[in-house]
Amino acid sequence: DAGITQSPRHKVTETGTPVTLRCHQTENHRYMYWYRQDPGHGLRLIHYSYGVKDTDKGEVSDGYSVSRSKTEDFLLTLESATSSQTSVYFCAISEQLGADSPLHFGNGTRLTVT
Amino acid sequence: GENVEQHPSTLSVQEGDSAVIKCTYSDSASNYFPWYKQELGKGPQLIIDIRSNVGEKKDQRIAVTLNKTAKHFSLHITETQPEDSAVYFCAARTAAGNKLTFGGGTRVLVKP
């Protein structure tokens, strides 16, 4: 397994509270991604990073922000959690962009917003 | 943007039979098509991928075929075993390479 650790693995929080999910990698890969997984929707890209302090939006970025201060860490923040953000969140990494560099996923964080 | 449709959403097969999952994509510029397997409580794991310059690729009991003209690709699992039970995702990526678009997933159940 690729060296990706997501924390926490499970979290329950209340509507309106801030939440930060952490992804830590030991592979020294340049590219890191946050996806959310919902039934029937597969995995949808929230944000991704192409280097320290370099990030960009994915297809479902509203309500989320990210930060990457070190190569190994990529944080996903929900500034004010809503019930629609109840989901399983996956971090992924890749060495390069493009077809020769597949994504490797962590084991996910299950977030429940009550 | 790219749209990937995956069918069926659930698939039940008898052990030893074959399983086929089909995906269609919308962006003719897509050139990379991976398949991921996700077991319960874990993240998706890449099991096979194919690039647009290849029509078919095999790896032991799994194979993927690609029809660029029709913009669809399929995963074939032969001689299914109980450990093949999982959720499978197809995906497509364009030459720009920075975004992988996933299908909705297929839950495969192999009955002993």
Side-chain angles (χ1 to χ4, degrees):
Chain A
D1 290 346
I4 307 169
T5 303
Q6 291 188 234
S7 58
R9 290 296 313 276
H10 302 272
K11 186 168 183 67
V12 180
T13 192
E14 293 183 349
T15 299
T17 59
V19 177
T20 295
L21 309 183
R22 180 180 183 240
C23 177
H24 178 79
Q25 59 140 333
T26 58
E27 305 297 320
N28 200 34
H29 284 356
R30 178 179 174 186
Y31 299 90
M32 299 185 75
Y33 311 78
W34 278 107
Y35 283 85
R36 61 177 288 173
Q37 183 178 32
D38 304 288
H41 291 277
L43 294 107
R44 292 180 291 175
L45 181 65
I46 305 171
H47 282 280
Y48 67 100
S49 169
Y50 45 96
V52 173
K53 298 190 187 304
D54 292 322
T55 65
D56 203 353
K57 296 179 179 180
E59 60 181 307
V60 290
S61 59
D62 287 349
Y64 302 95
S65 63
V66 290
S67 65
R68 191 167 178 202
S69 59
K70 297 185 291 184
T71 298
E72 57 266 35
D73 290 325
F74 192 32
L75 304 181
L76 176 71
T77 297
L78 292 65
E79 301 289 348
S80 178
T82 67
S83 58
S84 63
Q85 294 176 311
T86 292
S87 186
V88 182
Y89 292 86
F90 287 97
C91 173
I93 64 174
S94 68
E95 194 167 9
Q96 300 289 340
L97 283 179
D100 292 332
S101 188
L103 293 185
H104 300 282
F105 287 86
N107 285 329
T109 294
R110 181 174 296 277
L111 176 68
T112 302
V113 183
T114 60
Chain B
E2 175 67 279
N3 183 50
V4 178
E5 299 282 343
Q6 183 172 346
H7 299 280
S9 57
T10 59
L11 180 60
S12 182
V13 297
Q14 207 65 38
E15 183 178 356
D17 288 349
S18 295
V20 180
I21 303 170
K22 299 182 179 180
C23 290
T24 60
Y25 61 99
S26 60
D27 189 345
S28 56
S30 290
N31 64 351
Y32 174 64
F33 308 92
W35 286 88
Y36 286 82
K37 176 183 180 182
Q38 185 179 26
E39 297 177 341
L40 196 62
K42 295 194 173 182
Q45 282 203 308
L46 179 70
I47 55 172
I48 195 168
D49 56 15
I50 191 168
R51 289 154 178 75
S52 59
N53 59 347
V54 176
E56 183 176 4
K57 183 177 178 181
K58 291 183 180 179
D59 184 3
Q60 299 183 350
R61 295 186 298 105
I62 61 174
V64 58
T65 59
L66 171 65
N67 183 325
K68 287 173 56 180
T69 303
K71 290 191 284 188
H72 67 71
F73 56 113
S74 300
L75 178 71
H76 304 254
I77 308 172
T78 58
E79 301 173 18
T80 53
Q81 302 169 4
E83 53 264 38
D84 294 329
S85 295
V87 179
Y88 292 81
F89 292 96
C90 63
R93 182 157 68 190
T94 65
N98 61 346
K99 296 177 184 178
L100 200 59
T101 301
F102 286 83
T106 297
R107 183 174 300 278
V108 174
L109 175 63
V110 180
K111 295 179 288 185

